[in-house]
Amino acid sequence: MISKLLVANRGEIARRIVRSAHAMGISCVAVCSDPDAAWPLVAEADEVVRLPGAVPADTYLRAELLVDAARRTGADAVHPGYGFLSENAGFARACDEAGLVFVGPPARVIESMGSKLAAKATMAAAGVPVLPTVEIPADAAGDNPSLTEQAEALGWPLLVKASAGGGGRGMRIVTEPGGLPEALASAGREALSAFGDATVFLEPYVTRPRHVEVQILGDTHGTVIHLFERECSIQRRHQKIVEESPSPAVDEALRAAMGAAAVTAAKAIGYVNAGTVEFLLLPDGRFAFLEVNTRLQVEHPVTELVTGLDLVRLQLLVAEGRPLPDEVLDVHPSGHAVEVRLYAEDATRSWQPSAGKLWRFELPEGPGLRVDSGVESGTEVSAHYDPMLAKVIAWAPTRAEAARRLAGALAGACIHGVTTNRDLLVRILRHDEFLRGDIDTAFLERHDPAELGAPLAGPDGTRLHALAAALAGQAERRATAPVLGAMPSGWRNNPAGLQETQLSGR
């Protein structure tokens, strides 16, 4: 039995893990860097260990610091969340060696999926559909007739992909033979810098595919199941920003085929705990394996809302060695759920991150609405980490109702102090193509993010937002004034001096 859990992460996912662990009667230890010392997580955990420093390399990516924090606080398990060290086989192994339960798959499973090339070979051998691939030799450079010949056999355009890592780094689209040498060289350099591995490969570039993934869950007793699919096609820079379940493109026959392929993939690598098998869904209805994410996904709440299950609870039960409970083995999805990722970034300026103080952060909650947030009003948003502030999720009996409910909640949110992608998300949810289910990974290539991200209400609405932000800032300054706090706002002993305030963001 797990009695004390160290959450080796930050922000909204750390708070979400703590919520489920506390509901199970498990005590939680949080870790925090210097910029995160005043974040809501710190107040909600039972214990907190400070990680001195700011950048991830000095804090959340230091496996030895996290293992030491677990030892010093008497934790008997570690949940890695997602990102940071969640798919690091070395971290999972270090936890095992320290006698800590790692809430995730075994290190050997994580390791087996660390290379996309090796993963594709394993899946092909197991009978899971994969796209044809050409591995690039380490010494391939300049004009290489043999390589060009192999590329020609795949057909143009082609995609150069890094074998290690993800997130769009080490990827290049090549439309003709002359561009291949430079694409291979630049992708290799980027992959080496980002992942420490310059290995790249070629596969056909599919025009207008969908990104559809299947949630898998396995226990230590040999049971492996799937919990249906999620549509994750709307992405910016190969990062998902809108996810939903079920997929509007998947019928019962395709759902059964993709689910069976995902279970086959999981069994081929001896999968345990929660994970995701990602597929590319081609326009002709065929699907091909992309990768296995050996962790909980950002978008797991849409699966939770359509199944009624708590995936973090199930992760903890599996980590304790228990078999999957009966309600998981006979679950039936209900309704439709849509999730958006609310980022502190400016979609009109090439996704430029935004940092600073969140003067006001109020998102509507109620029936059919869920907010998983790492921040609250008054939180200081750092530039050192991923800019996601929260996930906002809506459930309804139908897809159209869920999209409308979510768009309305976002449009009514009060967010002042940093620029966010809220307006872009509302416009996507209300877009005709989205509402028809006619979406793919090129959605934001067809539709200019600068237009989708423009202020919703236009110039007049912009002035109202500015006024609301000014009033919120004024109230905050009055409440925290170090001197003359009882004096009315705007009072001064020099009547000729104007009251001036500089606000950041919209």
Side-chain angles (χ1 to χ4, degrees):
M1 296 283 286
I2 295 171
S3 59
K4 184 181 285 190
L5 178 71
L6 183 128
V7 183
N9 219 294
R10 65 181 296 278
E12 60 83 20
I13 184 56
R15 293 181 81 189
R16 190 264 167 277
I17 293 166
V18 168
R19 186 168 70 243
S20 284
H22 276 170
M24 296 174 69
I26 298 172
S27 176
C28 292
V29 180
V31 291
C32 75
S33 64
D34 292 338
D36 290 346
W39 274 46
L41 170 68
V42 172
E44 293 169 357
D46 301 287
E47 298 175 63
V48 179
V49 176
R50 194 80 167 260
L51 303 176
V55 299
D58 294 335
T59 54
Y60 300 105
L61 289 174
R62 293 278 300 277
E64 74 280 9
L65 292 184
L66 298 170
V67 170
D68 182 61
R71 281 173 166 162
R72 287 193 286 120
T73 56
D76 47 12
V78 174
H79 196 307
Y82 48 68
F84 295 130
L85 295 174
S86 62
E87 294 183 279
N88 186 297
F91 180 50
R93 194 169 286 113
C95 289
D96 290 342
E97 291 170 354
L100 300 166
V101 174
F102 181 77
V103 184
R108 58 172 175 76
V109 172
I110 299 174
E111 214 158 43
S112 71
M113 293 293 102
S115 162
K116 288 185 174 64
L117 273 170
K120 288 183 74 169
T122 299
M123 294 306 148
V128 178
V130 299
L131 289 174
T133 301
V134 173
E135 184 173 355
I136 306 302
D139 59 352
D143 291 328
N144 187 322
S146 172
L147 193 56
T148 303
E149 220 174 276
Q150 293 178 73
E152 291 278 6
L154 291 179
W156 307 97
L158 292 173
L159 188 63
V160 180
K161 293 179 74 171
S163 181
R169 287 170 292 184
M171 291 178 65
R172 300 290 186 277
I173 299 170
V174 188
T175 58
E176 45 83 28
L180 186 58
E182 173 54 28
L184 292 173
S186 62
R189 287 193 299 269
E190 187 175 31
L192 181 63
S193 173
F195 315 121
D197 184 347
T199 306
V200 296
F201 62 93
L202 299 176
E203 67 182 21
Y205 175 71
V206 181
T207 305
R208 297 194 62 174
R210 288 177 180 262
H211 187 133
V212 178
E213 62 189 27
V214 177
Q215 176 72 54
I216 55 171
L217 197 60
D219 63 22
T220 55
H221 303 271
T223 301
V224 180
I225 62 162
H226 74 85
L227 294 174
F228 316 107
E229 84 284 351
R230 297 186 287 253
E231 171 86 49
C232 308
S233 295
I234 297 185
Q235 306 175 2
R236 61 106 168 97
R237 293 178 174 174
H238 304 284
Q239 284 282 356
K240 308 160 190 171
I241 58 172
V242 180
E243 300 106 345
E244 58 184 303
S245 182
S247 165
V250 175
D251 59 20
E252 286 301 326
L254 183 55
R255 179 170 297 116
M258 295 183 84
V263 170
T264 296
K267 289 182 175 179
I269 56 176
Y271 204 88
V272 174
N273 216 276
T276 303
V277 183
E278 303 203 349
F279 296 103
L280 208 59
L281 181 57
L282 282 58
D284 63 6
R286 292 179 298 132
F287 62 92
F289 172 83
L290 276 177
E291 61 183 336
V292 176
N293 289 128
T294 54
R295 54 171 168 80
L296 193 67
Q297 290 279 78
V298 177
E299 57 272 19
H300 76 274
V302 295
T303 296
E304 293 185 323
L305 288 183
V306 297
T307 62
L309 300 171
D310 181 336
L311 291 182
V312 173
R313 169 181 169 265
L314 294 171
Q315 282 191 293
L316 293 167
L317 291 177
V318 168
E320 290 180 329
R322 303 194 202 185
L324 290 173
D326 291 341
E327 66 266 23
V328 179
L329 304 179
D330 189 33
V331 66
H332 302 280
S334 172
H336 202 100
V338 185
E339 171 183 299
V340 293
R341 304 187 190 188
L342 186 63
Y343 284 113
E345 66 183 12
D346 191 342
T348 69
R349 296 183 178 179
S350 301
W351 316 107
Q352 179 179 313
S354 177
K357 190 164 189 175
L358 266 174
W359 295 103
R360 193 173 179 189
F361 189 76
E362 296 176 6
L363 293 165
E365 293 191 66
L369 285 173
R370 168 175 161 180
V371 177
D372 285 8
S373 171
V375 299
E376 58 190 21
S377 296
T379 298
E380 192 75 30
V381 178
S382 168
H384 294 293
Y385 309 110
D386 182 274
M388 188 163 67
L389 302 175
K391 300 177 304 194
V392 189
I393 314 101
W395 178 93
T398 67
R399 183 174 186 269
E401 290 176 281
R404 182 172 61 185
R405 177 174 287 168
L406 183 53
L410 288 168
C414 295
I415 307 169
H416 303 302
V418 298
T419 301
T420 74
N421 66 337
R422 183 266 303 272
D423 296 345
L424 170 99
L425 296 171
V426 172
R427 280 203 177 86
I428 290 173
L429 293 169
R430 291 174 174 170
H431 199 283
D432 287 344
E433 281 187 25
F434 178 82
L435 293 175
R436 291 197 306 268
D438 185 19
I439 53 178
D440 54 70
T441 57
F443 183 90
L444 287 177
E445 295 173 17
R446 293 193 300 278
H447 305 291
D448 186 359
E451 292 182 12
L452 292 174
L456 282 172
D460 292 338
T462 302
R463 283 196 289 272
L464 288 174
H465 279 301
L467 176 60
L471 291 172
Q474 179 192 52
E476 167 109 1
R477 289 188 294 278
R478 279 295 88 205
T480 59
V483 295
L484 300 178
M487 299 302 293
S489 176
W491 184 89
R492 58 188 53 73
N493 59 11
N494 177 7
L498 297 176
Q499 181 176 359
E500 296 181 0
T501 301
Q502 183 175 354
L503 295 176
S504 62
R506 280 205 284 267

